Amino acid sequence: MIEQIYQWVKNIAFYLILITAVMNVLPNNNYKKYVKLFTGMVLVLLVLSPITSLLKLNRTMDFTFLTSSFEQELNELDDQAETFEYAQKSRLFSGYEEEVAKEIGEVVEQDGLYPVDVQVVMEEDESSEDYGSIRQIHITAAYSQKQAEGIYIEPVRIGTEKKEDYQPESMEEINIKNDLERFYNISASNINISIQR
């Protein structure tokens, strides 16, 4: 019994000497308050160690510590899983949008135009009943390959005539809208087509 008390006092003395050395070595005073807090908690555990061993609280404290650390790790894993799931859904949607854009480009080519840019907007709100469906399609096309590649330069016209801002839809635009409306089950009002003239 006396030997255990001697070992207990020896552990506390050694710990205090070690902490004093560590506090003197710290270069920045900003960290001292955190080190003091941590070392104070460890000192309390050292002082209470004979009482906890006498009352057999060591196992309870170990179990409580392991349980709390396990819960913290579990919460961190849940957060990581949510982040991973969000990133995975985002990649899935972007891949799906790219694939649909390629298919739409092929539809545009079948109607005799050349796709310049195709953008697809998906419904990404999980609470919506249209989750995963196509909301809007934006197409920019050209009549020739050179226009699509950006090489074509529109001829300069000198005169006083004004160009009308509104141009009625061409037959190609109507055909493309009808094809996409049937195939993707999307309203024609959500399909925007702009043909470079």
Side-chain angles (χ1 to χ4, degrees):
M1 178 75 174
I2 294 179
E3 188 173 314
Q4 290 174 345
I5 294 173
Y6 176 71
Q7 183 65 34
W8 175 62
V9 171
K10 190 170 141 183
N11 286 344
I12 293 174
F14 178 74
Y15 181 74
L16 289 173
I17 292 169
L18 180 68
I19 293 309
T20 305
V22 168
M23 294 299 271
N24 287 329
V25 172
L26 280 178
N28 196 349
N29 288 336
N30 295 337
Y31 299 114
K32 283 191 178 182
K33 61 182 175 183
Y34 300 113
V35 173
K36 282 183 181 179
L37 175 69
F38 177 74
T39 55
M41 289 190 299
V42 173
L43 183 61
V44 167
L45 290 175
L46 272 175
V47 170
L48 294 178
S49 63
I51 297 169
T52 57
S53 63
L54 200 78
L55 297 174
K56 309 257 189 225
L57 294 176
N58 286 347
R59 289 183 183 165
T60 307
M61 287 176 59
D62 288 345
F63 178 75
T64 305
F65 175 73
L66 287 173
T67 304
S68 65
S69 64
F70 178 72
E71 286 176 3
Q72 184 178 359
E73 287 178 16
L74 191 60
N75 289 337
E76 289 174 4
L77 283 174
D78 283 344
D79 292 342
Q80 289 176 356
E82 286 178 16
T83 305
F84 178 72
E85 185 178 346
Y86 177 76
Q88 190 175 20
K89 282 182 184 177
S90 177
R91 279 194 299 266
L92 180 68
F93 270 107
S94 64
Y96 183 59
E97 287 172 353
E98 288 175 17
E99 204 56 42
V100 170
K102 283 181 190 175
E103 289 176 0
I104 292 171
E106 292 172 3
V107 170
V108 169
E109 287 176 356
Q110 288 173 357
D111 285 328
L113 297 173
Y114 296 92
V116 176
D117 184 39
V118 179
Q119 294 178 352
V120 178
V121 179
M122 308 288 294
E123 179 61 63
E124 296 185 23
D125 183 15
E126 291 182 21
S127 61
S128 172
E129 61 184 39
D130 296 329
Y131 175 68
S133 64
I134 298 172
R135 282 193 326 180
Q136 289 184 337
I137 299 173
H138 302 282
I139 303 169
T140 305
Y143 282 110
S144 71
Q145 184 71 33
K146 288 183 179 180
Q147 280 180 313
E149 293 172 357
I151 300 171
Y152 179 77
I153 298 173
E154 211 173 295
V156 178
R157 293 190 184 114
I158 300 174
T160 57
E161 64 185 53
K162 291 185 179 179
K163 190 175 182 181
E164 293 181 19
D165 289 338
Y166 173 75
Q167 294 179 353
E169 288 185 335
S170 66
M171 282 306 295
E172 292 90 354
E173 290 176 291
I174 294 170
N175 288 339
I176 292 171
K177 280 190 176 186
N178 289 338
D179 291 345
L180 296 177
E181 187 177 13
R182 280 192 304 267
F183 190 75
Y184 291 108
N185 195 24
I186 181 174
S187 170
S189 61
N190 292 334
I191 303 171
N192 300 318
I193 302 175
S194 152
I195 299 179
Q196 297 176 349
R197 301 189 192 284

